[in-house]
Amino acid sequence: MSHRAHLFSLRIGHALRESCLQEPYGRRRLLRDVLAGITVGIIAIPLAMALAIASGVAPQYGLYTAIIAGFVIALTGGSRLSISGPTAAFVVILYPIAQKYGLGGLLLATTMSGVLLIGMALVRLGRLIEYIPEPVTLGFTGGIAVVIATLQLKDFFGLSLTTLPEHYLGKVMTLAGHLPGLHWPSLLIAVLTLMILLLWPRLKTGVPAHLPAVILASLATWWLNRHGLDIDTISSRFSYLLPDGSSGQGIPPVLPDFVWPWRQPGPEGGPLVLSWALLRDLLPAAFAIAMLGAIESLLCAVVLDGMTGKRHSANSELLGQGIGNLVTPFFGGITATAAIARSAANFKAGAESPVAAMVHALVVLAGLVLLAPWLAWLPMPAMAALLMVVAWNMSEAHKAVHLVKTAPAGDILVFLTCFSLTIVFDMVLAITVGVLVAAVLFVREIAEMTRVSDISGHRRLLDTPLPEGWSAFKINGPLFFAAADRVFGELAGMMQARKGIVLYLDGVAILDAGGLAALTKFIDQCKRERVRVVIADLQYQPLKTLARARFQPIPGMLAFYPTLKEALDALEEEQKALQEQRLVAKLGVGP
């Protein structure tokens, strides 16, 4: 199937069909998928928990997301090796929703985003990522990374804070005000975790750095807590209540139940009341989730295409993401999308098909059921340090620095605009403004490319001399709304004391309504000043535009010719005829 066909195809399970049914799938490929799935599943367990905590909910909901969404999206999506689950990019959107509407509101917004993603797939918006400039992507991902890192400072330093202000600057001021009261044992565990995360890759063992980091940090926390230093862990921070009335600390070692999302706890602890007003309030958040989910999943698929040489189905991937986010909240899972880091690890581990992602989900399920008592010992400062490294990696700081050093000033402006708006306000505003600024700058640059030049003395183009009092002008570039007024204004300033002008338009590929209006205005001005206009060598699109506008030649005023040579030959013949008429008139000889 061609790349174009992949982009526009839409069917459930496209990637699974293509990699397992349309290609031979035997024991060797299955074994590679199982081993890759086990590897990524082990990586995903602490990450899913940390990302759920960062999103403002209990850690088990991150595991539910990796289990349900990870399996469903792999089954129904369009990218072979994508691993879906909770991701760092969503933290800045999900945390405020969880604080304002509780878990129930967060799950309801996720369900709504699933419907929006399915709608985006049905109307074939899978090429969405192509229309978002890189400075916009780098800007909002960098801004998200800064916000995530800021949110982790509370647990990193062990600050005694219950809530943070809604706005970023308020968060920073509150954290700075509480910094003198930092808890040094928590800071010690965070620094230990951070050092292991940074230094472990140098050993080149093949073991992901965060596994030894959280294990050693948990052992150190256990020892320090035994000596009365009281470092926060998942067990001390979170508790659960099972349907049978039993309760416990940490993570419930049971499978998630089917529950209507709005029946989950709201901001006051009780279930939400489903209403049109609630849906209306959550719609902007759902739209933001859907937009970011689409961007992240398609960006991940493009990255994997570059690694594997395969092609994803963009619309099928959106469909899979939509189905996953529609189903997952009914089992307690929060928002999911494809995770670039885990997907890259999946590829490096030798994955062959979406079966690896399904195995990864089953491994997380096994971890939930079998390892819950041990996972409860994970220290909160270690989770904060882990998320800081995740935030740094997702920021792609090296790309941002390279862009600032080498890109044009317009791209730098777009990057800085998106970066700052994401931090100070929100991602949706940042992307909207960023795309608009990028579009305006792009239009300006394209408009500046349209030039008009006097070719009257250009003998290579004009092999036939122009009549006395005539000039020829060549226009290069699109004649559209942003360029046409300037171009024809320049022409109007150069046509004084001329009998006629030749417009050579072989370099004009586009003529839009704005260009047509400017051309009409210019010709009207030429009429008033009795300057003849000859238009030569129109390309197909401008010719079609003039035909639809019923632009007609005006005898003695406006003429059209297929080529510049034909226009010059016609003017030469006209001059010869005039000279003959003058000679006859001078000699007084009748016709």
Side-chain angles (χ1 to χ4, degrees):
M1 186 181 291
S2 69
H3 178 43
R4 185 175 179 84
H6 271 78
L7 283 172
F8 288 98
S9 61
L10 176 62
R11 56 178 178 171
I12 295 178
H14 179 102
L16 188 64
R17 293 168 186 259
E18 191 176 63
S19 57
C20 296
L21 299 180
Q22 296 178 9
E23 299 175 5
Y25 189 82
R27 181 182 301 176
R28 184 191 65 82
R29 294 185 70 199
L30 175 61
L31 180 60
R32 288 173 65 87
D33 278 337
V34 170
L35 292 177
I38 291 172
T39 301
V40 180
I42 293 171
I43 294 172
I45 290 172
L47 281 175
M49 296 170 61
L51 291 167
I53 295 169
S55 299
V57 297
Q60 63 264 28
Y61 298 109
L63 297 176
Y64 298 161
T65 308
I67 294 166
I68 306 299
F71 192 94
V72 172
I73 295 173
L75 181 67
T76 60
S79 180
R80 293 183 179 216
L81 304 185
S82 290
I83 300 292
S84 294
T87 64
F90 279 124
V91 168
V92 295
I93 300 176
L94 304 188
Y95 183 82
I97 301 172
Q99 295 298 304
K100 187 173 182 179
Y101 297 99
L103 174 63
L106 177 54
L107 299 188
L108 184 56
T110 300
T111 305
M112 295 166 65
S113 74
V115 175
L116 292 174
L117 281 166
I118 293 173
M120 292 167 68
L122 293 177
V123 296
R124 304 298 200 276
L125 292 182
R127 299 183 68 181
L128 176 71
I129 188 67
E130 297 182 9
Y131 300 101
I132 300 179
E134 185 176 36
V136 174
T137 305
L138 288 176
F140 80 75
T141 53
I144 288 171
V146 170
V147 175
I148 292 172
T150 303
L151 291 174
Q152 305 319 305
L153 293 177
K154 170 182 173 293
D155 286 329
F156 192 93
F157 291 105
L159 304 180
S160 55
L161 279 169
T162 54
T163 58
L164 287 171
E166 181 179 352
H167 299 292
Y168 181 79
L169 295 179
K171 290 182 175 70
V172 172
M173 294 178 64
T174 302
L175 289 167
H178 285 76
L179 201 55
L182 65 86
H183 185 233
W184 72 261
S186 296
L187 179 59
L188 178 64
I189 295 298
V191 171
L192 171 66
T193 308
L194 191 60
M195 294 301 294
I196 296 172
L197 288 169
L198 297 177
L199 298 177
W200 184 268
R202 298 184 181 183
L203 301 179
K204 299 181 180 179
T205 62
V207 178
H210 69 270
L211 293 180
V214 296
I215 290 172
L216 292 176
S218 298
L219 292 174
T221 299
W222 173 79
W223 187 83
L224 291 173
N225 280 345
R226 285 197 63 184
H227 288 77
L229 294 178
D230 195 22
I231 299 171
D232 240 355
T233 64
I234 287 178
S235 177
S236 65
R237 177 77 62 86
F238 299 98
S239 61
Y240 61 86
L241 178 65
L242 297 177
D244 62 4
S246 59
S247 61
Q249 296 297 120
I251 301 171
V254 295
L255 300 178
D257 293 324
F258 179 92
V259 180
W260 298 104
W262 52 90
R263 300 301 300 170
Q264 296 279 11
E268 305 299 328
L272 291 173
V273 177
L274 187 62
S275 65
W276 284 112
L278 178 62
L279 295 177
R280 185 179 62 249
D281 291 344
L282 288 174
L283 185 59
F287 178 76
I289 292 171
M291 285 296 297
L292 183 57
I295 294 169
E296 286 286 305
S297 61
L298 296 178
L299 183 62
C300 178
V302 169
V303 170
L304 289 172
D305 285 352
M307 292 179 175
T308 63
K310 304 291 185 180
R311 293 295 182 187
H312 71 285
S313 169
N315 293 306
S316 296
E317 178 64 9
L318 284 185
L319 180 63
Q321 294 290 336
I323 294 172
N325 282 282
L326 180 62
V327 172
T328 302
F330 289 88
F331 296 91
I334 60 175
T335 310
T337 191
I340 295 177
R342 275 163 274 170
S343 300
N346 188 39
F347 165 74
K348 293 175 183 177
E352 294 273 342
S353 76
V355 172
M358 298 181 195
V359 173
H360 133 272
L362 296 177
V363 170
V364 177
L365 175 62
L368 171 67
V369 175
L370 301 176
L371 302 179
W374 287 273
L375 294 176
W377 287 98
L378 293 177
M380 298 305 298
M383 304 298 268
L386 174 60
L387 282 176
M388 282 188 169
V389 173
V390 170
W392 171 259
N393 291 335
M394 77 165 288
S395 72
E396 296 189 292
H398 62 287
K399 288 187 179 181
V401 171
H402 179 73
L403 183 142
V404 171
K405 287 182 177 179
T406 62
D411 287 342
I412 297 173
L413 174 63
V414 171
F415 166 75
L416 294 176
T417 299
C418 289
F419 180 76
S420 56
L421 288 178
T422 301
I423 294 173
V424 178
F425 296 103
D426 63 70
M427 185 208 71
V428 176
L429 178 64
I431 293 178
T432 303
V433 173
V435 170
L436 288 175
V437 171
V440 170
L441 292 175
F442 175 75
V443 168
R444 188 189 69 177
E445 290 174 4
I446 296 299
E448 289 174 351
M449 291 172 62
T450 303
R451 293 281 190 270
V452 57
S453 54
D454 190 339
I455 59 171
S456 303
H458 200 301
R459 294 305 168 205
R460 291 182 61 186
L461 291 175
L462 306 179
D463 54 0
T464 302
L466 288 165
E468 185 180 351
W470 281 70
S471 295
F473 298 95
K474 179 178 174 63
I475 299 177
N476 275 311
L479 281 175
F480 69 119
F481 66 93
D485 281 334
R486 173 180 57 81
V487 167
F488 286 112
E490 292 176 10
L491 275 172
M494 292 186 287
M495 72 177 189
Q496 278 84 9
R498 283 183 170 84
K499 296 178 181 179
I501 62 172
V502 177
L503 295 182
Y504 181 35
L505 302 184
D506 79 319
V508 176
I510 296 174
L511 177 68
D512 72 350
L516 184 63
L519 175 60
T520 303
K521 180 181 176 182
F522 174 72
I523 291 174
D524 289 341
Q525 183 177 354
C526 290
K527 281 183 190 178
R528 292 193 300 270
E529 300 186 14
R530 296 183 180 181
V531 177
R532 292 178 59 191
V533 179
V534 173
I535 297 177
D537 225 327
L538 284 164
Q539 292 194 39
Y540 176 74
Q541 193 277 340
L543 183 61
K544 182 180 177 182
T545 300
L546 291 175
R548 291 185 63 183
R550 298 181 179 179
F551 228 77
Q552 298 291 333
I554 303 172
M557 171 59 211
L558 175 64
F560 295 89
Y561 291 93
T563 66
L564 180 60
K565 186 178 187 313
E566 291 180 63
L568 296 175
D569 289 345
L571 288 175
E572 186 179 28
E573 291 295 325
E574 184 180 301
Q575 289 302 305
K576 288 180 180 178
L578 285 173
Q579 287 174 2
E580 289 178 2
Q581 290 176 9
R582 289 170 186 163
L583 182 59
V584 169
K586 183 176 181 181
L587 296 176
V589 179

